[in-house]
Amino acid sequence: MATTSQGQNTARSLGAPNDLESFWVPFTPNRAFKHAPRLIARAKDMHYYTPQDRAVLDGAAGLWCTNAGHNRDPIVAAITAQAAALDYAPAFQFAHPKSFELASRVAALAPADLDRVFFCNSGSEAVDTALKIALAFHNVRGEASRTRLIGRERGYHGVGFGGISVGGIVNNRKHFGALLAGVDHLPATYSREHQAFTKGEPEWGAHLADDLERIVALHDASTIAAVIVEPMAGSTGVLPPPKGYLEKLRAICDRHGILLIFDEVITGFGRLGHAFAAERYGVTPDMIVFAKGITSGSVPMGGVIVREGIYDAFMHGPEHVIELFHGYTYSAHPLACAAGLATLDLYREENLFARAKALEPVFAEAAMMLKSLPGVLDIRTVGLAAGIDLASRPGAFGKRAYEIMDRAFNDIGVLVRVSGETLALSPPLIVSEAQIGEIFEKVGRAIKAVG
Ligand SMILES: Cc1ncc(COP(=O)(O)O)c(C=O)c1O
């Protein structure tokens, strides 16, 4: 075991239980982190607290997930009670009551006939599940030639092999071999030239959906299973869809019998002021992928909501035979279901989706106040999400944003998300107007301090 006494001392002085060497921190520069770790020991409502009990305002809802705020009492109570009542029930061939209850509640929030819910444990699993359902759906209907999957440049769909194949982030793909065969990508919807400093959905860019027709012409519709997009691309810097873009995608998919999957892992559960972005845009996909906000980040959970007709297509053959050979040991885990039910109650009781919608103009206005700071190239906002693009230092892409995130956490007391040279803000939906002001004032201070 590679431990150093120096490492152990550092860890102890930080209140960490052990040395810092063993844990391989995901999506993190490990050497820099272990040299100067950013540790979080507890949380409540809008704040994180370091091991030294220094408060840090959460400008990112953790990783876009704690939409109801942190450690909310009803969620904590539900998880505690569930842990005492039922730790685990087999997920295959058996079930527990709360899995049905939560599925019904999720279906009730989804638009149109998106009525059947398959549970997983993360967004990545949910994406791979949706892609597999799409392929299997065409197969059981006798259209097995529909195997091609279409993603989009700058899309993020988690880290499974399916997700990175349809995803469009080069660093997430380039080290991992040939990926899935038969994947094409639509162009990204972002253009700084045409869209810079837009609040909400940009006017320019709906025509980019027409590229799907080019892909259909190239491969023939009979080979294409599904298109998957984030209605608003979150992880590559908050890229709202151009006005009319999603409608166009829907129409082209309809024309060619292609399934449309919305990855709403970030946009689901209120981020854009509605239960799902599908509702905000009035576009009904064939499947919605969700995770994160379903339990407000408290217990891992993800899932896929499918249209009734897709589920029905599988319900043939002898009744004792499994219809879809897919599932996870922890699908619909009792703790996750209990947390999910308590979270959905909170969203409803506190009207948090409508709250996000009402705060959208305040949030957008506060974000745009940073427009004239040095090195700010663009700011985009939609719902309670904002992306701030920064100019890179020569030869050091991402360093400026990284330093701002670090400074903001350590010295200024606000947690921001960083992705490449973009800062992303997406606070819990319980954020107050004053806290919105505080978040952007602090981010502005961090930008100026780092320079
Ligand atoms: C749109 C989208 N899809 C999928 C994922 C993957 O989710 P997870 O990290 O839970 O696997 C994410 C995570 O940020 C996401 O933003």
Side-chain angles (χ1 to χ4, degrees), residues 52-63:
Q52 294 77 23
D53 226 28
R54 188 171 57 80
V56 177
L57 185 59
D58 183 5
L63 271 179

Side-chain angles (χ1 to χ4, degrees), residues 354-402:
R355 180 189 171 80
K357 190 174 193 154
L359 285 172
E360 177 167 350
V362 179
F363 189 80
E365 201 58 40
M368 291 298 171
M369 300 287 278
L370 308 186
K371 201 172 171 172
S372 54
L373 290 186
V376 171
L377 299 178
D378 186 18
I379 300 177
R380 299 168 291 278
T381 62
V382 62
L384 287 190
I388 304 173
D389 289 351
L390 301 160
S392 292
R393 298 192 192 120
F397 176 76
K399 196 153 189 293
R400 178 183 239 153
Y402 179 88

